[in-house]
């Protein structure tokens, strides 16, 4: 029996919420991410600010800022539009919609990113993803991320054979999959 996207999201969230030893797993995935040549050679990073049981990006953001890299995070405007806002520290963030940390002073940046870390709940072998259902990232990638190197972090259970992507779905360039 084939599950619809809503059922897939529910199942993936339940599994992600029950990962044991998550900090250790995230540390290993972060190490693998930071070892990518594309990562090492990038200066402008777009990174989602994790919440709940997502891959924890807070340490990554702090590391990038300490290295003097430029870090941009998402800010969701009305009408389903997402913009990129540069931050200088985690103190630039405050809980916003859905309790997710977002920039306190959202000033849109039109910089081109070298590297984008894209969230998702489920991924297929062709690097397509299912997110939370708002289409924010697909539209954002169309608008600003085409030339960026796009990577997603994937827990082993999040990888499936085929998600049957629709024409507006955008794949990432690389999946870093839990070993």
């Amino acid at each position: 029996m084939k599950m619809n996207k809503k059922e897939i999201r529910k199942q993936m969230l339940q599994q992600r919420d029950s990962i044991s030893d998550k900090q250790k797993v995230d540390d290993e995935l972060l190490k693998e991410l930071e070892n990518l040549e594309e990562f090492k050679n990038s200066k402008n990073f777009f990174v989602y600010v994790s919440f709940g049981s997502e891959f924890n990006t807070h340490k990554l953001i702090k590391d990038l800022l300490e290295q003097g890299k430029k870090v941009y995070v998402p800010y969701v405007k009305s009408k389903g539009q997402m913009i990129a806002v540069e931050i200088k520290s985690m103190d630039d963030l405050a809980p916003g919609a859905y309790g997710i940390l977002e920039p306190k002073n959202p000033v849109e940046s039109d910089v081109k990113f070298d590297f984008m870390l894209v969230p998702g709940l489920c991924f297929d072998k062709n690097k397509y993803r299912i997110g939370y259902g708002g289409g924010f990232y697909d539209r954002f990638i169309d608008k600003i991320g085409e030339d960026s190197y796009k990577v997603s972090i994937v827990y082993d259970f999040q990888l499936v054979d085929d998600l049957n992507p629709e024409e507006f779905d955008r794949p990432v360039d690389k999946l870093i999959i839990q070993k």
Side-chain angles (χ1 to χ4, degrees):
M1 184 184 95
K2 196 161 167 48
M3 288 191 289
N4 65 33
K5 285 184 178 183
K6 187 176 179 184
E7 293 166 328
I8 291 171
R9 284 185 185 100
K10 185 177 180 209
Q11 180 189 343
M12 292 295 158
L13 272 170
Q14 285 173 339
Q15 284 187 263
R16 200 176 68 193
D17 289 346
S18 65
I19 296 174
S20 60
D21 215 359
K22 185 167 179 317
Q23 186 60 55
K24 182 175 179 278
V25 172
D26 282 3
D27 287 345
E28 289 167 5
L29 290 164
L30 178 60
K31 207 173 291 170
E32 195 172 334
L33 175 71
E34 291 178 335
N35 281 328
L36 289 177
E37 280 307 309
E38 294 85 353
F39 182 92
K40 291 178 188 173
N41 295 330
S42 293
K43 291 175 179 41
N44 295 317
F45 289 81
F46 180 86
V47 180
Y48 66 93
V49 182
S50 58
F51 79 102
S53 60
E54 287 181 322
F55 168 77
N56 188 339
T57 61
H58 296 206
K59 182 180 182 326
L60 169 64
I61 292 169
K62 290 174 192 160
D63 288 353
L64 289 169
L65 290 168
E66 282 173 16
Q67 294 166 27
K69 307 283 188 173
K70 288 194 178 286
V71 177
Y72 302 83
V73 299
Y75 177 81
V76 176
K77 292 170 46 171
S78 59
K79 298 183 193 71
Q81 291 303 310
M82 190 167 80
I83 62 171
V85 177
E86 184 177 3
I87 61 168
K88 302 289 188 193
S89 86
M90 291 296 284
D91 295 335
D92 293 345
L93 305 172
Y98 313 107
I100 301 169
L101 291 176
E102 60 184 25
K104 295 177 199 170
N105 301 306
V107 177
E108 185 168 9
S109 300
D110 62 353
V111 70
K112 293 288 186 213
F113 310 109
D114 306 315
F115 197 97
M116 283 180 76
L117 188 63
V118 181
L121 284 167
C122 188
F123 302 84
D124 72 15
K125 289 174 172 53
N126 297 313
K127 303 181 192 89
Y128 282 94
R129 52 179 277 285
I130 290 179
Y132 293 96
F136 291 101
Y137 278 85
D138 294 319
R139 285 192 297 276
F140 187 73
I141 288 168
D142 276 347
K143 183 179 129 189
I144 201 166
E146 276 299 308
D147 300 328
S148 305
Y149 191 72
K150 296 168 283 303
V151 175
S152 290
I153 303 278
V154 184
Y155 297 113
D156 53 7
F157 61 84
Q158 291 178 300
L159 191 63
V160 300
D161 285 333
D162 188 10
L163 290 172
N164 299 312
E166 297 171 49
E167 73 278 355
F168 52 81
D169 290 332
R170 297 291 169 261
V172 295
D173 299 303
K174 175 137 185 91
L175 299 176
I176 293 182
I177 303 165
Q178 175 187 1
K179 305 249 183 309

